[in-house]
Amino acid sequence: NAGVTQTPKFQVLKTGQSMTLQCAQDMNHNSMYWYRQDPGMGLRLIYYSASEGTTDKGEVPNGYNVSRLNKREFSLRLESAAPSQTSVYFCASSEYPTGGSNTEAFFGQGTRLTVV
Amino acid sequence: GENVEQHPSTLSVQEGDSAVIKCTYSDSASNYFPWYKQELGKRPQLIIDIRSNVGEKKDQRIAVTLNKTAKHFSLHITETQPEDSAVYFCAARNMNRDDKIIFGKGTRLHILP
């Protein structure tokens, strides 16, 4: 059981380049999230998807786009990378909580992105 | 939208003493409050959580308390051990609406020998 898998683990981009971070979960979760983690700033929500076919902005969506390709996969795209997007990116997934269902959010191992 | 404030940002305690981390939230509709621990270079992992219909929850040396009226919740770690050194994050989630999970900025806990 792999849980939440992110690719790549490390990436260096030049300013203006584009890239897509991939995330897949095998727990049949409805909700998926993308966060960025910067020193002293905690985990800030970029975008989330409460179900297949829906996506919504989080706290810091500017400069990013997302696609919920199917129930398993949720990708994050940087169209024109900027140095301010240097960060560690985490994908997470969770069951959409109903009644007494498990509400734990599981995280991927993270992607360390550097934009030069 | 929801805003979660967490204090302190850094906390140092002697091994064996207790540690308390506090969080406040702004959206009274939030109804689920998890705490995550993140060790250096690793992913955050859930350590304890509480729902809004419960005032306190305990799991061995870890406990969480929730005051819905004041919109604050706290993590209590007793008999601290070296392996408790990590960054701890609180979060708030509205399970009835949009299902966003908003995190606090984190507390770096140092356990001193």
Side-chain angles (χ1 to χ4, degrees):
Chain A
N1 191 343
V4 180
T5 302
Q6 290 180 235
T7 55
K9 292 184 181 179
F10 302 94
Q11 184 72 49
V12 178
L13 287 179
K14 293 182 178 178
T15 298
Q17 287 185 319
S18 62
M19 79 161 294
T20 300
L21 280 65
Q22 307 285 354
C23 175
Q25 51 91 10
D26 61 4
M27 296 173 281
N28 202 36
H29 287 165
N30 286 304
S31 298
M32 297 187 74
Y33 309 84
W34 275 106
Y35 292 92
R36 61 177 289 174
Q37 184 173 30
D38 304 291
M41 299 300 292
L43 293 157
R44 292 185 292 171
L45 182 64
I46 305 171
Y47 271 92
Y48 68 105
S49 170
S51 63
E52 184 180 354
T54 68
T55 60
D56 286 286
K57 295 179 180 179
E59 301 168 281
V60 289
N62 291 346
Y64 305 95
N65 284 302
V66 290
S67 296
R68 185 72 183 267
L69 304 170
N70 46 56
K71 193 171 185 180
R72 290 187 63 248
E73 299 173 288
F74 188 39
S75 62
L76 178 72
R77 182 160 178 84
L78 287 70
E79 290 291 350
S80 179
S84 60
Q85 294 179 304
T86 294
S87 188
V88 178
Y89 292 84
F90 284 100
C91 176
S93 74
S94 176
E95 182 50 73
Y96 193 86
T98 54
S101 64
N102 186 2
T103 48
E104 179 175 357
F106 294 85
F107 283 80
Q109 78 274 28
T111 297
R112 185 172 295 276
L113 175 67
T114 302
V115 183
V116 297
Chain B
E2 177 65 275
N3 183 50
V4 178
E5 299 282 343
Q6 182 172 347
H7 300 281
S9 56
T10 305
L11 179 61
S12 296
V13 300
Q14 291 293 139
E15 183 178 348
D17 288 350
S18 295
V20 180
I21 302 170
K22 299 182 179 182
C23 289
T24 60
Y25 60 99
S26 61
D27 187 351
S28 57
S30 290
N31 52 10
Y32 173 67
F33 306 93
W35 286 88
Y36 282 78
K37 177 182 180 181
Q38 186 181 28
E39 296 176 345
L40 189 63
K42 297 194 175 180
R43 71 191 79 186
Q45 292 193 297
L46 181 74
I47 55 170
I48 195 167
D49 56 12
I50 191 167
R51 297 195 184 212
S52 59
N53 58 351
V54 176
E56 184 174 358
K57 184 177 178 181
K58 190 173 182 179
D59 183 4
Q60 299 183 349
R61 298 186 297 107
I62 295 174
V64 57
T65 58
L66 171 65
N67 183 327
K68 283 192 300 182
T69 303
K71 289 189 284 188
H72 68 68
F73 56 113
S74 300
L75 177 71
H76 304 253
I77 306 174
T78 59
E79 300 173 11
T80 53
Q81 300 171 3
E83 54 265 35
D84 294 330
S85 292
V87 178
Y88 292 81
F89 293 99
C90 63
R93 181 177 185 178
N94 184 334
M95 300 190 296
N96 297 328
R97 194 172 63 203
D98 52 20
D99 207 31
K100 276 192 289 190
I101 307 176
I102 301 298
F103 284 82
K105 288 185 167 53
T107 297
R108 184 172 297 278
L109 176 62
H110 299 276
I111 306 301
L112 306 172

